Amino acid sequence: MPKPMLDRADEAYRCFLDMVTTFPRSQGIIVNSFESLEPRPIKAISDGLCVPDVPTPQIYYIGPLIASTDGDGRSGAGGGAADEESECLDWLDSQPSRSVVFLCFGSLGLFSASQLKEMAVGLEKSGERFLWVVRNPPTKDQTKRFLAPPEPDLDVLLPDGFLDRTRDRGLVVKSWAPQVAVLSHKSVGGFVTHCGWNSVLEAVCAGVPMVAWPLYAEQRLNKAVLVEDMKLALPMDESEDGFVSVAVVEKRVSELLDDSDEAGRAIRERVMVMSEAAKVAMSEGGSSRRALDELAKSWKLGNPTVVHPVAVGL
């Protein structure tokens, strides 16, 4: 469970409790998911198991809704972001198909300096091609938590000589990468992710298998679902203090891309099935398009529907 849910004295616990107790009183709930992706929980909800004493509201599964890209895969970012986007995609253009693992952990996903070095050594030892987004370690000043951190100094954060030794098969970018465009690129064969729901849906739509490395919020719950139920990700195994070793990084990155690895191959096959299912859900007559039509009709008829959009991704 998310950490605030384990502490009843936490303000976030009270806010979450207040929110979920209003769900049964609403006339509709919008969820950014689709039926083929989560059949078991969807059946549990529709069977009334989640709200046993009162009627279950209408649930509208209208996903996957993700950011769009231009026809060539570019997202049309402006300014400096456009330069960074071009660098990433131009580099990917020169890589073999399905050969690159992409490591990116959302706008709030930060690692300690020691963990960054451990990741670097693991990537180097794996021998695999990689595109890695590196951000500065977290600051102790919590008031700056949601502010953009300063640009990282890669020479200080990463092991001596790492960038030179991996220059022919790796690209490290500072702070940001065009995630949807990268995941949609033909050269990307794996995604090490913090398990934010938006990132998960983007990977599913692109047919990219994942390594689940949750960091905060609901991400540990997402990891459990991705690994144990959906079978779309390999787990990044942590020690009791949350640290991930060189050996684990090396192993998981290699498994994700190795055609001879049975576990990785099963994940890759499964995610391709879900990618096709996502397209079907969003196509004319698909389950998500039908759900959206039903929602629109309920509003068009003038029903005073109060709808709670469920935002589970960061």
Side-chain angles (χ1 to χ4, degrees), residues 219-239:
Q219 294 160 14
R220 294 189 182 279
L221 182 60
N222 290 350
K223 172 191 175 182
V225 173
L226 283 168
V227 172
E228 299 170 20
D229 187 30
M230 296 181 182
K231 313 293 186 186
L232 296 174
L234 298 170
M236 189 68 88
D237 300 321
E238 303 170 292
S239 63

Side-chain angles (χ1 to χ4, degrees), residues 193-303:
T193 174
H194 64 311
C195 304
W197 192 243
N198 289 336
S199 295
V200 168
L201 291 179
E202 289 162 7
V204 168
C205 289
V208 177
M210 290 167 273
V211 171
W213 191 341
L215 299 176
Y216 56 89
E218 90 294 350
Q219 294 160 14
R220 294 189 182 279
L221 182 60
N222 290 350
K223 172 191 175 182
V225 173
L226 283 168
V227 172
E228 299 170 20
D229 187 30
M230 296 181 182
K231 313 293 186 186
L232 296 174
L234 298 170
M236 189 68 88
D237 300 321
E238 303 170 292
S239 63
E240 289 187 4
D241 62 0
F243 198 75
V244 175
S245 68
V246 166
V248 172
V249 173
E250 177 186 2
K251 177 184 177 183
R252 286 305 190 218
V253 168
S254 297
E255 285 178 330
L256 203 58
L257 297 179
D258 186 358
D259 289 335
S260 64
D261 184 85
E262 184 175 347
R265 184 169 62 251
I267 297 295
R268 289 191 296 273
E269 292 173 354
R270 173 71 175 162
V271 78
M272 291 306 297
V273 170
M274 282 297 102
S275 178
E276 289 303 314
K279 295 174 184 175
V280 171
M282 294 297 285
S283 64
E284 191 68 37
S287 61
S288 295
R289 291 285 290 273
R290 294 197 306 271
L292 185 58
D293 286 344
E294 291 174 8
L295 176 61
K297 287 176 182 176
S298 73
W299 286 336
K300 195 171 183 179
L301 292 174
N303 295 336

Side-chain angles (χ1 to χ4, degrees), residues 8-20:
R8 295 189 179 188
D10 194 305
E11 180 68 12
Y13 177 91
R14 186 192 65 77
C15 293
F16 186 83
L17 188 62
D18 288 345
M19 179 179 68
V20 297

